[in-house]
Amino acid sequence: MTSPGSHMDTGVLLVGAGPTGLLLACELALAGVRTVVIDKRPKPHRESRALNLHPRSIELMDMRGLAGRFLAAGRTVPGWQFAVSLKRPLDFTALDTRHPYALLLAQARTEALLAQRSRELGVEIRRGHEAVALRQYAEGVETDVYGPDGCVTIRSAYVVGCDGGRSLVRQAAGIGFPGTRESMTAVVGDFAVADHAHNEQARRHGVLVARLEAGLTRYVVMDPQRIRVPSTEPVTLEEFRTSLMRVCGSDCGIGEPRWLSRFGNTTRLAAAYRRGRVLLAGDAAHIHFPVGAQGLNTGLQDAMNLGWKLAATVRGWAPPGLLDTYHAERHPVGHAVTTATRAQTLLVELPLTEQYAGPARHLCELLDTLLDMEDVNRHLAGRISALDTTYPPTTPDADPLTGRRMPDLGLTTAAGPTRVYELLHDGRFVLLRLDGGQHPRAATAPASSGRVRGVSVLGHGDHPDLKNVSEILIRPDGHIAWATRTTEPRVLHAGRAAALTAWTTWTGAC
Ligand SMILES: Cc1cc2nc3c(=O)[nH]c(=O)nc-3n(C[C@H](O)[C@H](O)[C@H](O)COP(=O)(O)OP(=O)(O)OC[C@H]3O[C@@H](n4cnc5c(N)ncnc54)[C@H](O)[C@@H]3O)c2cc1C
């Protein structure tokens, strides 16, 4: 066996150019890490599994100056279904965000926009290249990649498996993927439909109907007589039409499909998101039934959490243990999503079964009444939108804001008006001094370095959670690393210095 030695072909090799791999590539490139993405498919997907971005994902795009591109490409809707068997949707309009909606955007468009951004940032995407094996050494990873010129070995400091549910990277790293097997399936089809008169009727009978771009309409059908057919069995147009007729009494005028597929509720979560120099993100780490539309969104949030940590590690300034916080923070989120989607899937499945149809319908009616209650709706909308995702604090005496998502406050600074998410565009930490300069001795020069942008705020929009907060350190992924309410200069200095050292190992003037 040879050792990879000091020569690396690239800092990070990302296996998989799906949405997770592409956003992670953007994050690494933004932080100055040489990144290569490989994908076994010679061309990007044309068909789109996912249909939407939830509010937190749109916020992530906003933090990198990309929200405009995404919003221009899709269509916003005020909420989303917790489960298609419920009549009352989740209401995103009441959420505390500048983006209180879901963005209907086909996965292929999301991937195209992220691929465009990665190319702008200098990422190399090699399509038609399949990872077939990998070996870890102390200094790096060797990945065997089969491409148009045969098999080559790529040496990198780290490899991230963004290669979907059947992840070769996960298997090669020996990471388990425990969970539950498929017990039900549904069929999905995209069609050019001229007459939409039957769509409402279809929706009333539990068919998911969504108008896509380019004149296509998506139908997702769960036919009680076909939900036990394994996902490996191909769908025919005839089966699809028959199922639509059976479920809603109309074939909705569907013609030749652009795409037909069958998918199931296999639910699995990787035992670890990191093993040595190999990490997992997106579907490679978690798979579940697409109820609530959370798979792609969770993958984007994994990428945003991992990007800056991996970049800091590769560039050599990460504090000890930073990379391990990726598993510590994102594995519980994966656990919560896979657990919740199993429960949500039952709400879809039980009304379709002979044994439980009656009581399950009552349960759905009951849940609809609960969803009419503002607090209940807000609670579930906060979870599904991922706006309520909070990471555990790293110290016992941390301010309660620590780990929470930073709201996009409007700010007045000496340089003019701005907002928090604009300050995050270049992917650095942001240190905000919010006391309006009332304590000049406390923070004469907020820290600014390659890792941290320091900003003195003269005024900011009121936010109930930020009352009395005098200073706040925001991570590149928009979560709060540290906050303080003290205005006592010596305590403030000491707290700030400790937080900057702990998070960025930066010990410059602050
Ligand atoms: C019917 C359906 C509807 C869905 N709807 C939604 C929705 O509305 N919202 C939502 O958030 N999610 C939805 N999802 C889930 C969503 O599609 C996935 O979660 C998402 O695609 C995961 O992205 P990813 O980048 O992690 O993995 P993938 O999109 O699976 O990308 C993995 C990439 O890796 C490549 N690859 C695999 N193996 C190798 C290898 N050995 N070498 C090189 N390349 C490799 C593949 O070619 C692929 O391009 C839906 C899923 C289904 C099935």
Side-chain angles (χ1 to χ4, degrees), residues 4-5 45 112 130 197 209 226 264-265 301 311 313 350 414 457 460:
H45 294 263
E130 178 173 4
V209 184
R226 304 288 295 166
N265 65 338
Q301 288 140 31
T313 307
L350 290 182
V457 176
H460 59 85

Side-chain angles (χ1 to χ4, degrees), residues 50-111:
L51 278 188
N52 77 320
L53 295 184
H54 281 328
R56 185 56 177 165
S57 300
I58 309 170
E59 286 193 346
L60 300 187
M61 299 309 146
D62 201 351
M63 282 175 213
R64 296 297 182 259
L66 301 174
R69 297 185 192 187
F70 279 82
L71 290 171
R75 182 165 59 86
T76 61
V77 291
W80 203 258
Q81 296 288 341
F82 185 69
V84 281
S85 47
L86 302 180
K87 293 192 171 59
R88 178 82 158 93
L90 298 174
D91 178 12
F92 290 168
T93 64
L95 296 172
D96 171 27
T97 169
R98 277 184 207 274
H99 302 289
Y101 35 71
L103 179 66
L104 282 182
L105 185 65
Q107 182 164 338
R109 287 292 289 148
T110 296
E111 291 179 18

Side-chain angles (χ1 to χ4, degrees), residues 137-161:
Y137 299 97
E139 307 90 341
V141 189
E142 285 185 346
T143 307
D144 296 335
V145 177
Y146 192 79
D149 302 323
C151 200
V152 295
T153 298
I154 299 179
R155 294 177 182 82
S156 56
Y158 288 87
V159 167
V160 187

Side-chain angles (χ1 to χ4, degrees), residues 16 18-20 39-40 49-52 107 131 162-163 283 293 295-297:
T20 307
D39 199 292
K40 65 182 179 186
R49 285 175 286 160
L51 278 188
N52 77 320
Q107 182 164 338
C162 305
D163 49 343
D283 273 21
L296 180 152
N297 286 279

Side-chain angles (χ1 to χ4, degrees), residues 359-379:
R361 262 185 235 115
H362 285 302
L363 177 64
C364 290
E365 279 164 22
L366 176 69
L367 287 173
D368 271 321
T369 10
L370 291 176
L371 280 173
D372 277 335
M373 296 176 182
E374 218 174 284
D375 284 354
V376 176
N377 201 304
R378 162 72 189 75
H379 175 79

